[in-house]
Every structure is written in structure tokens, then in C-alpha cells.
């Protein structure tokens, strides 16, 4: 993607995500419809849907040739990475949104011919916007994030984990995961994959791993993490397919390598 084109799209996407966040903040205490999708804990609200519709209308109006991959079903049926694709989660962390009214984000990843060009993650209630453009670094509210420091060890790291490694058919032996938790300095669960990616990019977390995420959960975050020198793979250490659901492991390259070799591969089922 041409640099000038990328800059124009970035500025447009930034204005839209901030406007959408403002709309959500103004509606946060209003009555809303709450339903579920794959299971009773997989929540969806009328605000998820209206926010996604907001982006669909904006994108299709200004960029009619661009495609949209999104969580709530208003996007296109995308089979290849050809062209320019916006990958959007209108509210990442819907359970937090419903029960806490905080700790959720809008996530937008823009890919061109399969390459991540622009990533935006907006922590709506704290008014914190993480942004990244390919080759130009990652930012938090306009302040450039430094590259991840070298010499980081797992024993001094905080790792983001989800409870899914304790599910009925875990991908990694739970005894190995318990060993990982005991070896790291600490573990955290924030309930929003987009925010956990942003925290890895910021250096608040040294790693984040989960058993299963969709493209809209990771599209923006991968770009942010990449721009500060981080690594994102699945639990086999393979490159993530931006159009498919998969296990996800993102983090500081040294911590990523240590966890992958000493824990994940040892406990992989």
C-alpha cells in the first residue's frame, strides 16, 4: 500500500473509531438488548451490532472497493486476502462491557494483500487509543511506544492467560500450564484480547496466550505487537492465518521462545 494512501486511510479510520467510541460512551447506561451466540457466556448486544453497522456504512460509503470481515455478520464473505480488508471487532470484551461497563475495546485491523498496514485499538471508557502503521511504529495516545527491551526473562514476566486452558479438551496439558503460571512472575486475565495485545505492545504484559481466537480478535493487535518487535504465532509456533480461527500466542520474542520451547511444546496434546 502506498504510504500516502495508508496515511489517508489511517486518519479516516482514527476519526471513525473515536467517533464510535464517543457514541458508545453516551449510550453506556441506556437499556440495551443482550443475547448470546455460541454459548450463554458468548454475549452480544444491540450496541455491538449498531457499532458494526456504523463501520459498515462508513467503509462502504467512502471505500466501496474495500472488504469487511467482522464479528457480528454485517461484513463480506471473504475467502482470500486479496485487496484491502478491514477486520473489525465493534466491542472486544462484550462480557466486560455488559457487566463492568469498562475494560473493552473497539479493534480495527486493515490489511492489504494479506499484509497488516494499520492497527487501531480503542479502550473506550479510558479514552486510550493504541495505533500502528506498518514500518512507522506503535503509539499510545500519540506517544510512540519504545521497542521491547532485550534480556527479558520469564521469571520476571507477567503473562496474560485465559481460563480456556482448563476446558474439557485443552490444547496444552494443564499440569504444564500450572508450571508456567508458577514459573512466571505473575499471570493476568483482562477479558479482552485486543487490550491484551495492546498491553504486550506497551510492555505491560510480556506475553498473552489463548486456545482459540477469531481474526477480529487479533488483527489490529498483531500489527501493534509487530511494530515494537514482538512475535505472534499459534501454539505450534506457526504464522497465524488472518482469516481463520486459531490458538494464539503473542509476546516478547525472548519470552515467546522460552514458553514455546519449555512449556507449550512439552505439553501440547
Amino acid at each position: 500500500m502506498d504510504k500516502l494512501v495508508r496515511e489517508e486511510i489511517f486518519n479516516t479510520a482514527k476519526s471513525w473509531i473515536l467517533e464510535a467510541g464517543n457514541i458508545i460512551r453516551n449510550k453506556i447506561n441506556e437499556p440495551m438488548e443482550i443475547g448470546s451466540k455460541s454459548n450463554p457466556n458468548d454475549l452480544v448486544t444491540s450496541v455491538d451490532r449498531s457499532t458494526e453497522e456504523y463501520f459498515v456504512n462508513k467503509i462502504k460509503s467512502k471505500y466501496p472497493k474495500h472488504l469487511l470481515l467482522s464479528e457480528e455478520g454485517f461484513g463480506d464473505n471473504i475467502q482470500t486476502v486479496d485487496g484491502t480488508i478491514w477486520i473489525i471487532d465493534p466491542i472486544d470484551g462484550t462480557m466486560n462491557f455488559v457487566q463492568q461497563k469498562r475494560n473493552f475495546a473497539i479493534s480495527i485491523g486493515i490489511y492489504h494483500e494479506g499484509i497488516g498496514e494499520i492497527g487501531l485499538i480503542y479502550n473506550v471508557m479510558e479514552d486510550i487509543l493504541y495505533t500502528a502503521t506498518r514500518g512507522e511504529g506503535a503509539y499510545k495516545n500519540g506517544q510512540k511506544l519504545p521497542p521491547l527491551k532485550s534480556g527479558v526473562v520469564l521469571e520476571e514476566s507477567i503473562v496474560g492467560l485465559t481460563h480456556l486452558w482448563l476446558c474439557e479438551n485443552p490444547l496444552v496439558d494443564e499440569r504444564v500450564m500450572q508450571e508456567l503460571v508458577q514459573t512466571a512472575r505473575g499471570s493476568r486475565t483482562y477479558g479482552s484480547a485486543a487490550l491484551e495485545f495492546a498491553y504486550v505492545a506497551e510492555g505491560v504484559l510480556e506475553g498473552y496466550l489463548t486456545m482459540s481466537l477469531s481474526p477480529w480478535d487479533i488483527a489490529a493487535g498483531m500489527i501493534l505487537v509487530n511494530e515494537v518487535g514482538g512475535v505472534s504465532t499459534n501454539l505450534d509456533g506457526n504464522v497465524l492465518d488472518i482469516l481463520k480461527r486459531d490458538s494464539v500466542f503473542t509476546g516478547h520474542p525472548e519470552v515467546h521462545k522460552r514458553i514455546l520451547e519449555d512449556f507449550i511444546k512439552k505439553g501440547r496434546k
Side-chain angles (χ1 to χ4, degrees), residues 201-258:
E202 189 179 355
V204 174
L205 293 174
E206 279 68 44
Y208 168 59
L209 61 96
T210 186
M211 301 300 122
S212 182
L213 288 177
S214 295
W216 42 81
D217 298 312
I218 66 174
M222 287 175 58
I223 300 170
L224 265 73
V225 170
N226 185 65
E227 284 299 312
V228 296
V231 178
S232 300
T233 68
N234 64 15
L235 293 186
D236 292 317
N238 298 324
V239 175
L240 290 163
D241 185 332
I242 201 58
L243 299 182
K244 294 182 179 179
R245 190 174 184 88
D246 203 348
S247 59
V248 173
F249 181 20
T250 187
H252 187 290
E254 294 169 53
V255 174
H256 184 282
K257 183 174 185 291
R258 168 85 183 279

Side-chain angles (χ1 to χ4, degrees), residues 37 52 69-73 86-92 106-109 121 193-194 213-221 242-245:
K37 294 183 286 187
E52 186 166 306
L69 178 62
S70 52
E71 182 170 15
E72 307 308 336
W86 296 58
I87 305 177
I88 295 177
D89 195 336
I91 296 181
D92 183 77
I106 304 172
S107 177
I108 301 175
I121 295 173
L213 288 177
S214 295
W216 42 81
D217 298 312
I218 66 174
I242 201 58
L243 299 182
K244 294 182 179 179
R245 190 174 184 88

Side-chain angles (χ1 to χ4, degrees), residues 116-142:
E117 297 282 355
I118 298 166
L120 304 100
I121 295 173
Y122 188 33
N123 185 336
V124 173
M125 300 311 291
E126 295 189 24
D127 192 24
I128 297 174
L129 178 62
Y130 296 90
T131 62
T133 53
R134 183 171 61 87
E136 297 182 21
Y139 294 77
K140 176 184 178 182
N141 279 351

Side-chain angles (χ1 to χ4, degrees), residues 1 9 14 29 53 76 83-84 89 93 95 105 123 132 145 147 153 166 173 192 258:
M1 180 181 288
I9 294 173
K14 180 181 175 182
N29 292 313
E53 284 187 284
D76 299 295
T84 300
D89 195 336
M95 187 181 296
N123 185 336
L145 297 175
V153 297
L166 289 170
D173 189 291
S192 166
R258 168 85 183 279

